[in-house]
Every structure is written in C-alpha cells, then in structure tokens.
Amino acid sequence: MAFLADALSRVKPSATIAVSQKARELKAKGRDVIGLGAGEPDFDTPDNIKKAAIEAINRGETKYTPVSGIPELREAIVRKYKRENGLDYTAAQTIVGTGGKQILFNAFMATMNPGDEVVIPAPYWVSYPEMVAICGGTPVFVSTTQENNFKLTPADLDRAITPKTKWFIFNSPSNPSGAAYSHAELKGLTDVLLKHPHVWILTDDMYEHLTYGDFKFATPAEVEPALYDRTLTMNGVSKAYAMTGWRIGYAAGPLPLIKAMDMIQGQQTSGACSIAQWAAVEALNGTQDFIPENKKIFEGRRDLVVSMLNQAKGIECPSPEGAFYVYPSCKGLIGKTAPSGKVIETDEDFVSELLEAEGVAVVHGSAFGLGPNFRISYATSEALLEEACKRIQRFCAACR
C-alpha cells in the first residue's frame, strides 16, 4: 500500500515559486541574480493600513475570528463590490480566506466530483489546474494566441464546454499574460455562458486595479446580471494594496456555495489572521489615493520592458493591458545555440540558459500552458528592469 495519496501524482510544484527559490539560492551563493519570477509588488504596504494593524494589536484583536471573516471586513467587502463593480451582496454572501488561493481551493473542494471538468484558458496561473486535480476534477485547457492578445474567443469557449463542465475559470487582467478583457469582449463570453446553465463561473479579479491607459475594468456578473446566481467573484488585497504577505483573499457569491466553502474552511484553517483582517478593513474602506500613483509607476515599467524586449534578437513582446507581467515569445531563439553550446529546443531551455549565462530569473511559458514564451514580472525597480533587459538583449545577441 502506497503511503502518499494518489492525488499527488496528478500535481506539479509551482513553477513560479521554484524560480523564485532558485534565484534566492543562487544569490546566497554569491551570484549576481535579478529575479523577475515573483508576482509581488515591490511597494511597501501603505502606512494607513499598517497603522490599522498596529491599532488592532493594541486593542487586543488577537483572538479567533469567525470562519468566514470578521463582520467589519465582510461589510467592507459588500461596500467594495457595490462601489466599484455595481454588484449587490449581503455580508452572508461573502467569505474571507488566507489569500485568494484558499478561496479558489475551497470553492473547488466544496463543489468538485470525480469526472467534473473545469475550462481553463491558456496561458493560465500555474495553480489553477493543480487545484482542480487535487480536488478530483479534470482541467480542460483552451489555448489562446498571441495574435489575439492571449484572449479567449467565444467560439473557443463554446467548443470547450461539455455536459461534464462544472466551472469556467476567468482571470482578467491575466497572470501571466497581462491580457484584460473589455466590457464588449466579456459580453461575448457571457453570452456563451448563458447558453450553458450548468456551468458556473469563477472569476479571479485579483489584478482589477492594475489596468493601464483608458482601459476600464469589468467583471462577468456585472456585465451579465443573469449569471449572478452562478458566479463566484474572487478578489484580494495582495496586489493593489501591496499586501502579499498579509494573506487575505475574499469572494462573494450565491449563499449555498459560500456556506459550503465556510464548512470546508471551518475544518481546514478556520478564520484568517485577525490582525491581517483588520488591516484589510482599512485597505478597502480607507484612502485609495495611492492606487493610481502606483499604477502610473507600473505603466512606466511596462513600457520600458516592452520596448527593450522588442529590441532583443528573436524576442517578440506584446504590450499588455493590465497586471504587472509581460509574456514575450522566444520563438525566434528556438533552434539557436546558447553561449554554453547547448541548443535551445524549448522555452524551458531558454530560461535555464538565460539564468546560467546572465543571472536573470524568469519563468518558462510552458509552465503556464502556452509556449514558446516566458513570463517577466515587472514589479521591481526601473533600474533593475533596465539592467535585466540589457542582459536579455546581450544573451539573445550571443545565441547563434
């Protein structure tokens, strides 16, 4: 009898975490490494949010909380969805978890049966298919194209849906591509979903506040109110509020689903960190003035990286509408010989050789289900990004 669960054979480690760990290990050995693998803002958590956490500690808010979150945070979530997305929920329809990842995992755990299918557009965040697999479901991947800005078409979505489809996962702006869907593009997808009433929508809005230029964010239940009763709208404070380590995600959706997720969480972790929840109350209720300032900085970094990568031999880099990632193609380097003498046969070869030759850590696109590409997080300083891009240009020029 095997000791470890069979489910583990269906799951791969997180490629993004692995790249970040590799970069840390090389730095510890004295290598000059620029890590562009982590999806984490380099900004500090705003002072008003830190102050709210300190005040919560001083008030003694250090006890267990309700599984689904403190009432003050759930009410703040209700106000956020009404204010920013035009969605009406009650506090009972909300749930708070230890990061967005737990929200997603609990939703799958509460609903998935063996044989259930989950439609996932590629490229996708590396954890989506692994969560589905752990919970006994079957990921169904639908590839997008760089020519279509990595956006799923309504026809492709329609073809992917079967009688076994339980969920459609939607992430806009996207990790890893930065692609963001306009209201009209979303309407095309929601029209398809209206034809398939057995399919639920899990929308990951974690990068909602990080869109650039004149782009206006929209979320599926806002675009098509008829989908409200089968949509779980997930978000969190990690990205826009620079609170990755605070580990607070949240969602709102139909009451029976929220109750089921609450039951799972009650036997899993119980409530999220009490201090982090009070910090999140201030994040949602307090000033939002720093968000446009940070967006402007991110937009400048995006433009720098896109420009410099497009000057690298064999690299083609689209300009994304949101998040803080670019997803360039390294197709022009496939078949070339790296400075080490190794032939670059895959995007994984490309990122491995780049790390070895120039000390730049990025994530291979095949980890996100679509290559030959690689993901760069530009959530770091312009000086480091410029140096990293120079190294990438130098590496590409040295490939023969």
Side-chain angles (χ1 to χ4, degrees):
M1 182 185 297
F3 176 65
L4 295 178
D6 292 343
L8 289 182
S9 66
R10 303 192 297 267
V11 179
K12 300 187 296 290
S14 167
T16 53
I17 292 175
V19 166
S20 297
Q21 181 60 31
K22 177 75 171 175
R24 281 192 291 268
E25 290 171 358
L26 288 173
K27 283 181 180 179
K29 292 177 181 177
R31 281 286 306 274
D32 175 18
V33 174
I34 300 175
L36 302 179
E40 181 170 48
D42 59 323
F43 306 127
D44 194 15
T45 302
D47 287 340
N48 64 305
I49 297 172
K50 292 191 288 187
K51 182 181 177 186
I54 293 166
E55 290 175 349
I57 293 172
N58 290 335
R59 286 197 311 271
E61 307 280 7
T62 55
K63 308 298 183 185
Y64 289 134
T65 72
V67 171
S68 289
I70 59 175
E72 292 83 355
L73 180 52
R74 298 177 83 184
E75 290 292 348
I77 292 165
V78 168
R79 289 191 292 273
K80 175 263 180 281
Y81 278 124
K82 179 64 175 177
R83 178 179 72 243
E84 297 180 352
N85 309 112
L87 294 173
D88 289 305
Y89 293 104
T90 64
Q93 288 178 278
T94 67
I95 187 167
V96 178
T98 304
K101 189 175 279 189
Q102 184 180 29
I103 297 289
L104 297 169
F105 192 97
N106 288 351
F108 291 139
M109 183 64 72
T111 60
M112 204 75 69
N113 291 309
D116 286 346
E117 295 177 351
V118 179
V119 174
I120 306 174
Y124 45 75
W125 181 43
V126 293
S127 292
Y128 292 149
E130 311 310 324
M131 290 180 184
V132 171
I134 289 174
C135 295
T138 302
V140 174
F141 304 116
V142 187
S143 291
T144 61
T145 65
Q146 187 161 310
E147 292 70 30
N148 200 40
N149 296 316
F150 301 112
K151 294 179 188 178
L152 183 67
T153 67
D156 285 342
L157 173 60
D158 201 25
R159 277 191 292 270
I161 293 172
T162 75
K164 294 181 178 181
T165 305
K166 178 157 281 184
W167 285 101
F168 165 55
I169 300 182
F170 181 75
N171 177 215
S172 170
S174 160
N175 174 6
S177 71
Y181 291 70
S182 68
H183 190 286
E185 289 167 334
L186 259 179
K187 187 65 169 65
L189 298 179
T190 57
D191 284 350
V192 170
L193 293 162
L194 285 174
K195 296 172 13 186
H196 301 281
H198 66 292
V199 179
W200 282 60
I201 301 92
L202 205 169
T203 177
D204 179 349
D205 295 352
M206 193 63 75
Y207 297 92
E208 169 184 5
H209 292 298
L210 299 177
T211 61
Y212 308 117
D214 297 326
F215 186 89
K216 188 176 185 327
F217 175 84
T219 194
E222 172 191 10
V223 170
E224 182 46 78
L227 295 176
Y228 176 92
D229 288 334
R230 52 187 170 108
T231 300
L232 182 68
T233 302
M234 190 278 284
N235 211 314
V237 297
S238 298
K239 312 300 182 178
Y241 299 95
M243 294 176 67
T244 49
W246 298 79
R247 308 309 302 132
I248 295 292
Y250 60 83
L255 189 58
L257 174 60
I258 297 297
K259 285 183 174 180
M261 292 168 63
D262 174 87
M263 184 174 67
I264 295 287
Q265 191 164 306
Q267 297 295 350
Q268 185 188 58
T269 59
S270 296
C273 169
S274 60
I275 306 307
Q277 288 190 63
W278 281 103
V281 171
E282 175 61 22
L284 296 182
N285 286 346
T287 179
Q288 310 289 300
D289 290 349
F290 56 88
I291 292 179
E293 295 172 9
N294 290 352
K295 273 175 59 172
K296 188 173 181 181
I297 294 170
F298 275 135
E299 189 167 8
R301 293 173 178 179
R302 178 202 65 173
D303 293 345
L304 170 71
V305 170
V306 169
S307 174
M308 292 190 71
L309 288 178
N310 279 323
Q311 295 172 51
K313 181 182 175 184
I315 301 294
E316 184 180 345
C317 184
S319 183
E321 295 97 336
F324 40 65
Y325 309 104
V326 291
Y327 199 65
S329 168
C330 57
K331 185 178 180 180
L333 279 301
I334 303 299
K336 302 288 187 183
T337 302
S340 68
K342 178 178 173 58
V343 176
I344 299 172
E345 297 179 351
T346 65
D347 50 33
E348 193 164 3
D349 288 341
F350 172 81
V351 302
S352 177
E353 290 298 310
L354 175 64
L355 180 58
E356 186 61 36
E358 293 288 353
V360 177
V362 300
V363 188
H364 54 286
S366 53
F368 303 100
L370 191 71
N373 293 73
F374 59 101
R375 190 194 78 171
I376 283 179
S377 167
Y378 53 84
T380 191
S381 71
E382 281 202 12
L384 279 177
L385 290 170
E386 187 169 357
E387 174 60 23
C389 288
K390 285 178 180 177
R391 294 184 188 188
I392 293 171
Q393 290 175 350
R394 187 165 62 211
F395 173 78
C396 293
C399 293
R400 296 287 180 253

